[in-house]
Amino acid sequence: MRALYLAAALALAATPALAGKLLEAAPEAMKNYAEQAGYILSSISVCGGDAEEEAYFRSLARDNLVQLGADDEDLGFFEYNMEAAAQAATPRKRDCREDGAVPVASDLYMHRNSIEKALKGG
């Protein structure tokens, strides 16, 4: 029985982490980025956008992470959490106007900058 516990412990220690490069460097910023992207995604239809605009936004938000070196685990985490945030969001009509949209978009880029800073070790 002791050998079984030892084998299990060794197997767990040898298992690679399932976190991507960005998630390892900045897990909280990645979560915040995904949640903010989800909020923006949900606001597109409220603001009169269509599925094409949603697809375009998804690709932009994803490409921002790819530019930072996101791998498949990072992108999977991002997409899952963005979708969950979009489903839970209750966007406001005021976010459709420039005075509402600019701060919402700025928050997204603030989270992106936090990820980039963490990757550089700062």
Side-chain angles (χ1 to χ4, degrees):
M1 190 64 150
R2 187 172 183 192
L4 182 60
Y5 288 124
L6 183 58
L10 288 173
L12 289 175
T15 304
L18 296 178
K21 174 182 162 183
L22 276 56
L23 281 169
E24 287 179 9
E28 190 66 29
M30 279 288 289
K31 179 92 169 146
N32 292 339
Y33 181 86
E35 289 175 350
Q36 189 68 17
Y39 181 85
I40 294 170
L41 180 64
S42 71
S43 71
I44 292 172
S45 63
V46 169
C47 296
D50 58 16
E52 188 175 312
E53 285 183 69
E54 289 178 358
Y56 179 69
F57 173 76
R58 286 174 197 271
S59 70
L60 285 177
R62 190 176 196 278
D63 287 348
N64 269 303
L65 296 178
V66 170
Q67 290 170 4
L68 295 176
D71 59 21
D72 289 341
E73 287 82 11
D74 295 318
L75 296 173
F77 174 90
F78 165 69
E79 290 169 5
Y80 176 83
N81 284 284
M82 179 178 65
E83 292 300 325
Q87 295 298 318
T90 52
R92 301 165 296 202
K93 273 296 227 185
R94 75 175 192 193
D95 292 335
C96 301
R97 298 186 313 261
E98 187 174 340
D99 61 332
V102 170
V104 170
S106 293
D107 286 348
L108 182 69
Y109 285 99
M110 179 187 66
H111 298 310
R112 183 204 182 276
N113 290 340
S114 295
I115 297 166
E116 185 173 26
K117 185 178 179 181
L119 287 169
K120 292 179 179 178

